[in-house]
Amino acid sequence: METRELRYFVAVAEELHFGRAAQRLGMAQPPLSRAVAQLERRLGAPLLTRSSRSVALTPAGEVLLAEGRAALAAVEAAERRTRRAGAADRPGVVLAVKAGASAELLAKLLDAYAAEPGAVPVEVLLCAVGEQGPALRDGRADVALLHLPFDTTAGLDTEELGTEGQVAVLPAGHALTGRTEVSLADLDDLPGLPPPRWSGPGGRPAGPGPEVRDHAQLLQLVQLGRTYTVLPESVRSQLPEGVVTVPVRDAARVTTVIAWPPHSRSRPVADLVATALRL
Amino acid sequence: METRELRYFVAVAEELHFGRAAQRLGMAQPPLSRAVAQLERRLGAPLLTRSSRSVALTPAGEVLLAEGRAALAAVEAAERRTRRAGAADRPGVVLAVKAGASAELLAKLLDAYAAEPGAVPVEVLLCAVGEQGPALRDGRADVALLHLPFDTTAGLDTEELGTEGQVAVLPAGHALTGRTEVSLADLDDLPGLPPPRWSGPGGRPAGPGPEVRDHAQLLQLVQLGRTYTVLPESVRSQLPEGVVTVPVRDAARVTTVIAWPPHSRSRPVADLVATALRL
DNA sequence: CCCGGCGATACCCGGCGGGTATCGACCTCG
DNA sequence: CGAGGTCGATACCCGCCGGGTATCGCCGGG
């Protein structure tokens, strides 16, 4: 199976429409139809059920969509990492972090690692919420800081770096800011203060709250009195003016982990992990 | 990057010889040279340093060899799993186990799962030592039983099923069989009884012992008085005539885990794992 | 009942992947 | 030191396949 065929199938499976998929791929519809039909012949199994009005996935198609996405990510990762390894101005290693999260830990880690013998330049890739895993899987990054239970570590090797509680982040002056502690129930349905909605494929259920992609955006919106949120305690070190935190009694504890792709044989990544564990 | 190019490069990188690689790929040498050169141009980085007498990998080449193998395994996995999902006589799920290991657990697991509502047929794939991980990664299997610390779980999701000690397995009548317990040191350099060598890429250091690929072969060789070995206690349930076990005081404890590919969304795999955890 | 949307089919063309022949570099050996 | 052998690169050719346009057939809706 060639990656070209896989890309074609994935596009059709995602669009469920040959015309749109062809457009997305920058090609005409007939060769796309033909390529997919040929893939089905080669695999010996129908992947799509077509009527002249609609396209749907067969069970085999569902499998190929899931597995194919993973395979394409692996191929992209190979390509990107090779390009980086061959580049003259190689950033020794790319570290992915959620924008605005673990700022203190990150600063300490970068300092400590830079002091190591044999340290290479570290490029920091600031990601939207939940993007660090995919960035690692498709080769945009070599190592990442993730936060459980929010991020998924499936398919990654990890080491635990620590856990912390969570605090509610509210606009200054809000009624709850007088409390020494709140519960999640207290935060439910605050009048005039809707919770934010995380952008991205995770889920964007329609609702009143503003859409955000990272912590920095979120804090700014809290500052403007447009939303509230619950974040790990460590955000306290970088709150803007006009926002207040209150510990949340019953929020899940957040575990920060450092993660890397399982077959990574890179010395800098190993050093970075070792350094993080010593902090 | 196309999988064809990747296959070509991996073949050359493994052989370090264009002629042999071309032969392995079933093609002539010139188009292979050209394809690799073209790949290097596209990636913008040299992958190989060639002299007319030898071929060697550049750092970028090393990266692409490692990443490319993983990517090719992912593509193969996609293909194989799709084929299986589309096959009429689909074996619902393929379970990989080291041949001869965890026999009792395996029997209980298969029985218990078969009794579950919604159980599908389970095909058991008996693997050579250390082959379950690769089988899982390239789609020959959907779920596997692994034994830590021998097998590697990198890149797999796992659940622990239990731990056990290890016993020395010796030919009946051997001097040590009278002992109630031995240590690893006692087993070192037994006169006339060399340790076995595991076949496969793991390592086959030259030595006197016979080469084996799984527990069944190993037990037979012990029975014949040609070697001894140290295995998890659970092998006791299936020893042939003429072999004796003695607990090993200081051997590492073995942990049996059930593992599956991280992006598996298969219901039967989830059920199988849940059943295993209830045992 | 006709129109419009959508996937499949028919057909054509150019490029690319694969082949053979040969070159050029370099090591080995007499 | 030169001849032969090994090995990768180059030159050149061909057939196929991937991509294009034109069009058909099916089917649902106004």
Side-chain angles (χ1 to χ4, degrees):
Chain A
M1 206 168 31
E2 291 302 311
T3 62
R4 186 177 44 80
E5 303 177 282
L6 255 187
R7 269 189 284 268
Y8 288 1
F9 170 73
V10 168
V12 174
E14 284 178 356
E15 299 285 345
L16 290 179
H17 188 292
F18 280 80
R20 278 196 301 274
Q23 197 173 347
R24 195 173 111 186
L25 292 166
M27 65 187 292
Q29 169 260 319
L32 178 58
S33 285
R34 201 180 44 183
V36 172
Q38 184 171 321
L39 178 60
E40 288 178 300
R41 267 201 313 280
R42 273 213 273 267
L43 291 175
L47 302 170
L48 302 166
T49 55
R50 312 135 158 90
S51 80
S52 67
R53 307 305 295 165
S54 74
V55 174
L57 287 168
T58 63
E62 301 269 7
V63 169
L64 187 59
L65 178 56
E67 299 274 336
R69 278 174 171 152
L72 286 177
V75 172
E76 273 178 50
E79 186 163 346
R80 257 193 272 260
R81 294 211 171 94
T82 306
R83 279 217 164 84
R84 268 220 313 281
D89 62 335
R90 65 177 81 181
V93 54
V94 178
L95 171 65
V97 281
K98 197 177 298 187
S102 302
E104 219 168 352
L105 171 67
L106 179 59
K108 278 197 291 187
L109 172 57
L110 291 176
D111 281 354
Y113 174 70
E116 291 280 307
V120 300
V122 176
E123 179 179 322
V124 176
L125 175 69
L126 293 177
C127 292
V129 163
E131 269 304 298
Q132 302 105 290
L136 223 46
R137 279 180 264 271
D138 72 14
R140 279 172 293 164
D142 302 305
V143 56
L145 295 179
L146 302 182
H147 302 87
L148 306 182
F150 307 125
D151 300 316
T152 163
T153 60
L156 303 174
D157 278 9
T158 60
E159 286 284 352
E160 204 166 305
L161 298 182
T163 73
E164 55 188 322
Q166 295 195 77
V167 296
V169 185
L170 298 157
H174 187 275
L176 287 175
T177 58
R179 309 266 287 269
T180 57
E181 196 181 72
V182 297
S183 72
L184 287 175
D186 295 332
L187 294 166
D188 226 28
D189 259 348
L190 291 180
L193 205 61
R197 290 172 302 125
W198 293 110
S199 73
R204 189 176 354 194
E211 188 179 320
V212 299
R213 40 191 312 281
D214 61 42
H215 287 186
Q217 290 189 352
L218 191 46
L219 292 174
Q220 194 173 357
L221 285 165
V222 174
Q223 187 183 28
L224 296 170
R226 312 304 286 264
T227 189
Y228 76 93
T229 186
V230 175
L231 292 177
E233 290 164 3
S234 58
V235 286
R236 284 198 187 128
S237 72
Q238 46 166 357
L239 292 180
E241 291 287 306
V243 312
V244 176
T245 62
V246 184
V248 179
R249 189 186 324 123
D250 51 355
R253 287 187 67 80
V254 174
T255 305
T256 303
V257 302
I258 187 165
W260 60 96
H263 51 87
S264 173
R265 288 268 156 279
S266 148
R267 177 64 194 278
V269 168
D271 287 348
L272 206 51
V273 171
T275 305
L277 285 173
R278 272 199 302 276
L279 287 183
Chain B
M1 205 165 37
E2 292 302 311
T3 61
R4 185 179 44 80
E5 303 177 282
L6 256 186
R7 270 189 284 267
Y8 288 2
F9 170 74
V10 168
V12 175
E14 285 178 355
E15 300 285 345
L16 290 178
H17 189 292
F18 281 78
R20 278 195 301 274
Q23 197 172 346
R24 194 172 111 184
L25 292 166
M27 65 188 293
Q29 170 260 320
L32 177 58
S33 285
R34 202 179 46 182
V36 172
Q38 183 171 322
L39 178 60
E40 287 177 301
R41 268 202 312 279
R42 274 215 272 268
L43 291 175
L47 302 170
L48 301 166
T49 56
R50 313 135 157 89
S51 78
S52 66
R53 305 307 296 166
S54 73
V55 174
L57 286 169
T58 64
E62 301 268 8
V63 169
L64 187 59
L65 178 56
E67 299 274 336
R69 279 173 171 154
L72 286 178
V75 172
E76 272 177 52
E79 186 163 346
R80 256 192 273 260
R81 294 211 173 93
T82 306
R83 279 218 165 84
R84 268 221 312 280
D89 61 335
R90 65 176 82 184
V93 54
V94 178
L95 171 64
V97 278
K98 196 176 299 185
S102 301
E104 217 168 356
L105 172 66
L106 179 60
K108 278 197 291 186
L109 172 57
L110 291 176
D111 281 353
Y113 174 71
E116 289 281 306
V120 300
V122 176
E123 180 179 320
V124 176
L125 176 67
L126 294 177
C127 293
V129 164
E131 268 304 298
Q132 303 104 293
L136 223 45
R137 279 182 263 271
D138 72 11
R140 278 171 294 164
D142 302 305
V143 57
L145 295 180
L146 303 183
H147 301 88
L148 306 181
F150 307 123
D151 300 317
T152 164
T153 60
L156 302 174
D157 279 9
T158 60
E159 286 286 352
E160 203 167 303
L161 298 182
T163 73
E164 54 186 323
Q166 296 195 75
V167 295
V169 185
L170 298 158
H174 188 276
L176 287 176
T177 57
R179 308 267 287 269
T180 57
E181 196 180 72
V182 296
S183 73
L184 286 176
D186 295 332
L187 294 166
D188 227 27
D189 259 347
L190 290 181
L193 205 59
R197 292 171 302 124
W198 293 110
S199 73
R204 187 172 359 190
E211 188 179 323
V212 298
R213 35 190 319 278
D214 62 43
H215 287 186
Q217 291 188 351
L218 190 46
L219 292 176
Q220 193 173 356
L221 285 165
V222 174
Q223 187 184 26
L224 296 170
R226 314 302 286 265
T227 188
Y228 76 93
T229 186
V230 175
L231 291 177
E233 292 163 2
S234 59
V235 284
R236 284 195 187 130
S237 71
Q238 44 167 357
L239 293 181
E241 292 288 307
V243 312
V244 176
T245 63
V246 184
V248 179
R249 189 185 324 121
D250 52 354
R253 288 187 66 79
V254 174
T255 305
T256 303
V257 302
I258 186 164
W260 60 97
H263 51 86
S264 173
R265 288 267 157 280
S266 146
R267 177 64 195 278
V269 168
D271 288 347
L272 207 50
V273 172
T275 304
L277 285 173
R278 270 198 303 277
L279 287 181

